[in-house]
Amino acid sequence: MNEKKPAIRVRQVMQSNFTTIGGMTTVADALEKLTIENDSALLVDKRHDDDEYGLLLISDIARHVLAKDKNPERVNVYEIMAKPVLSVHPEMDIKYCARLLQRFDLTRAPVLENQIAVGLVSFENLVLRGLSDR
């Protein structure tokens, strides 16, 4: 008999401890936060209710600051971040989240509930936490 296993939800695997920064933060300060948090992404806060979240990845810094030989003290996060970013709902099944990230060639996305960021989810979360629970 083939039993159907319950779906694993994004909420169960997402990173709920994430760091946020403002868009006016310098890349040097963002790098310091990334180092302290031992992470590779920062969520960029909304400036107001009608704004959208942004995302700053280590790869953005490598492409737009390091590769172009810019001074991280003189570049602001808003200049190199991705915004708006695709977001997912915490109740989404992880298999659909993985397909969505893959379809848009993303490595991670904010998890929004009622327009508020409650986490970040990445392929690493989906695979290491999601598949190990099956």
Side-chain angles (χ1 to χ4, degrees):
M1 200 148 128
N2 193 3
E3 279 187 45
K4 186 176 178 178
K5 295 182 180 179
I8 299 172
R9 305 295 176 187
V10 168
R11 180 184 309 281
Q12 295 171 260
V13 301
M14 71 183 186
Q15 176 186 345
S16 52
N17 300 359
F18 57 95
T19 305
T20 60
I21 57 170
M24 292 300 292
T25 305
T26 66
V27 170
D29 289 340
L31 279 168
E32 187 176 322
K33 280 194 175 200
L34 286 167
T35 303
I36 291 169
E37 298 299 324
N38 193 27
D39 208 347
S40 59
L42 296 170
L43 189 68
V44 183
D45 271 330
K46 292 178 168 189
R47 291 174 296 159
H48 49 77
D49 289 341
D50 293 323
D51 198 13
E52 295 296 327
Y53 288 102
L55 200 55
L56 178 69
L57 306 177
I58 286 281
S59 58
D60 297 325
I61 298 170
R63 273 192 224 102
H64 301 291
V65 180
L66 180 61
K68 294 180 180 178
D69 198 27
K70 292 185 176 180
N71 183 343
E73 294 281 348
R74 298 187 57 139
V75 178
N76 294 93
V77 167
Y78 77 86
E79 297 175 73
I80 65 168
M81 70 181 180
K83 181 178 177 176
V85 291
L86 187 74
S87 62
V88 298
H89 193 273
E91 294 307 315
M92 180 183 279
D93 185 318
I94 64 168
K95 71 181 176 189
Y96 295 119
C97 182
R99 289 177 191 173
L100 186 67
L101 293 177
Q102 186 273 326
R103 176 174 287 160
F104 290 98
D105 197 26
L106 302 172
T107 58
R108 66 187 68 230
V111 181
L112 300 186
E113 188 169 37
N114 300 320
Q115 306 296 323
I116 304 294
V118 294
L120 285 176
V121 67
S122 66
F123 279 127
E124 184 177 349
N125 302 134
L126 297 171
V127 171
L128 295 180
R129 295 183 187 157
L131 289 183
S132 65
D133 288 348
R134 289 186 176 217

